Amino acid sequence: MSVEEMNYEEIEKELFQLHNELRTKPQNFLPRLRDLLSHFKDKVFTVPEEEPIQTFEGIKAVEEAIEFIKKQKPVPELTLNDDITKACKDHIEDIGPKGMTTHEGSERSNISDRLEKYCEWDGSIAENMDFGFKKAENIILNMIIDDGVKERFQRMNLFNPDFKKIGIAVGEHKIYGICAVVGYCKNVRPIGSEPNDVADFISEYIKNTMYNNKKKNIFQEDDPDAPDNTVSVKIDKKSKDIKGKIKKITKKIYTLDTGAKHIVEIENC
């Protein structure tokens, strides 16, 4: 299948369906993963209608993915979100023509920056990317395997139970022919709207503090909002129009050890 023959919208639609099948029935993917074992020659992976891929780990990464999927419990389905999809399309339109393969855009944007052009977001956010595979099934299998990444960030994003929303874009890439960008988020809301209801915040706070006996990390010593797996935090102070009123906001964006981002937005008194 050539790049000219590909229907990006159909790939996006199938990739969304595969996400929810994977999350709700993970063991359905065991036969698909096992079939991949016969498509390796040393560390080169070749399947019909796809270009050969030089992997880092070879068969071992697939075998490890199989063992993981055997034990994986179902997690809730994701809802397709137009704003996240727009942010994903923006990234493809930026990096595709330039042949870039990074989560950071050409002007140093990240997924949070791109999404905030269209909406506000709450909770956690993350992004998966794939380059070269033309079939949706191969794209998601490659994300499950996550070859060459010790932490398997992409696989963790696929099964993160905190994520409720998803956006998907597939488009042309200068070097690899095709690329897919998938965004995940806990919650999105209109630009200028207020953060989650205070009752929800209090409930989440109690769950994460009073009933959590884990030792605090270095970030939690001074900041009770920091999640357990925080590895860094960025503080952003700015003024925002919320329901017609300009208010000063402190936004804390935590980078987690899964590669995802977690956000807490506080209205300054």
Side-chain angles (χ1 to χ4, degrees):
M1 183 191 303
S2 67
V3 173
E4 293 77 14
E5 295 173 324
M6 287 185 289
N7 185 325
Y8 296 136
E9 290 185 2
E10 284 300 314
I11 298 172
E12 291 166 356
K13 181 179 179 181
E14 186 177 355
L15 194 52
F16 171 61
Q17 294 169 342
L18 286 169
H19 266 82
N20 280 337
E21 180 186 352
L22 176 65
R23 286 171 68 92
T24 58
K25 300 175 182 177
Q27 281 72 47
N28 281 8
F29 284 74
L30 285 172
R32 297 162 172 163
L33 287 166
R34 289 179 177 127
D35 179 66
L36 298 182
L37 297 173
S38 63
H39 293 281
F40 278 89
K41 184 175 181 180
D42 294 325
K43 292 186 178 180
V44 177
F45 175 67
T46 306
V47 291
E49 300 183 53
E50 303 281 11
E51 296 296 323
I53 301 291
Q54 176 68 52
T55 68
F56 291 95
E57 301 173 69
I59 285 179
K60 288 184 178 180
V62 182
E63 292 174 335
E64 189 269 338
I66 289 170
E67 293 306 309
F68 176 90
I69 292 296
K70 284 180 181 178
K71 304 171 185 176
Q72 176 61 43
K73 295 181 180 180
V75 293
E77 288 189 350
L78 299 166
T79 301
L80 192 62
N81 180 266
D82 188 53
D83 289 328
I84 305 176
T85 294
K86 289 176 183 176
C88 293
K89 288 185 183 296
D90 284 351
H91 196 41
I92 285 182
E93 290 173 2
D94 177 25
I95 68 172
K98 300 177 181 70
M100 297 171 62
T101 58
T102 60
H103 291 282
E104 185 176 81
S106 61
E107 296 183 350
R108 304 183 67 85
S109 68
N110 55 41
I111 184 176
S112 176
D113 299 324
R114 295 187 285 272
L115 185 55
E116 287 175 7
K117 289 171 54 180
Y118 302 105
C119 64
E120 309 280 1
W121 63 275
D122 301 303
S124 301
I125 191 172
E127 184 177 73
N128 279 4
M129 298 171 65
D130 186 82
F131 299 89
F133 282 116
K134 304 179 184 73
K135 297 180 66 176
E137 181 173 283
N138 292 332
I139 292 171
I140 202 160
L141 289 174
N142 196 38
M143 290 179 179
I144 296 170
I145 297 166
D146 215 1
D147 173 67
V149 181
K150 180 181 178 181
E151 298 84 357
R152 311 296 191 205
F153 288 143
Q154 301 218 123
R155 181 194 299 167
M156 294 175 74
N157 291 335
L158 291 173
F159 291 105
N160 190 327
D162 287 339
F163 294 142
K164 310 298 180 187
K165 312 288 185 182
I166 186 174
I168 301 172
V170 178
E172 189 172 348
H173 192 270
K174 180 179 179 180
I175 296 176
Y176 292 98
I178 182 174
C179 65
V181 177
V182 183
Y184 309 89
C185 192
K186 183 173 183 178
N187 182 56
V188 297
R189 50 191 168 83
I191 290 177
S193 63
E194 294 182 350
N196 283 347
D197 186 81
V198 174
D200 293 336
F201 174 81
I202 293 174
S203 175
E204 189 73 14
Y205 180 83
I206 291 174
K207 183 180 72 174
N208 291 332
T209 55
M210 290 183 66
Y211 301 106
N212 189 344
N213 295 319
K214 293 180 181 178
K215 183 179 179 181
K216 292 182 179 180
N217 61 40
I218 58 173
F219 298 96
Q220 291 171 325
E221 294 293 337
D222 299 315
D223 183 0
D225 294 329
D228 290 339
N229 54 338
T230 300
V231 295
S232 67
V233 60
K234 175 184 176 183
I235 306 296
D236 185 15
K237 294 186 177 183
K238 58 184 179 180
S239 297
K240 291 181 63 175
D241 185 329
I242 299 178
K243 293 186 176 181
K245 294 182 179 180
I246 302 299
K247 298 184 178 181
K248 292 184 179 181
I249 298 294
T250 297
K251 180 179 291 186
K252 297 186 285 188
I253 302 175
Y254 305 94
T255 299
L256 311 181
D257 63 8
T258 62
K261 306 284 186 182
H262 179 86
I263 188 171
V264 173
E265 191 171 272
I266 302 170
E267 181 181 330
N268 297 342
C269 298

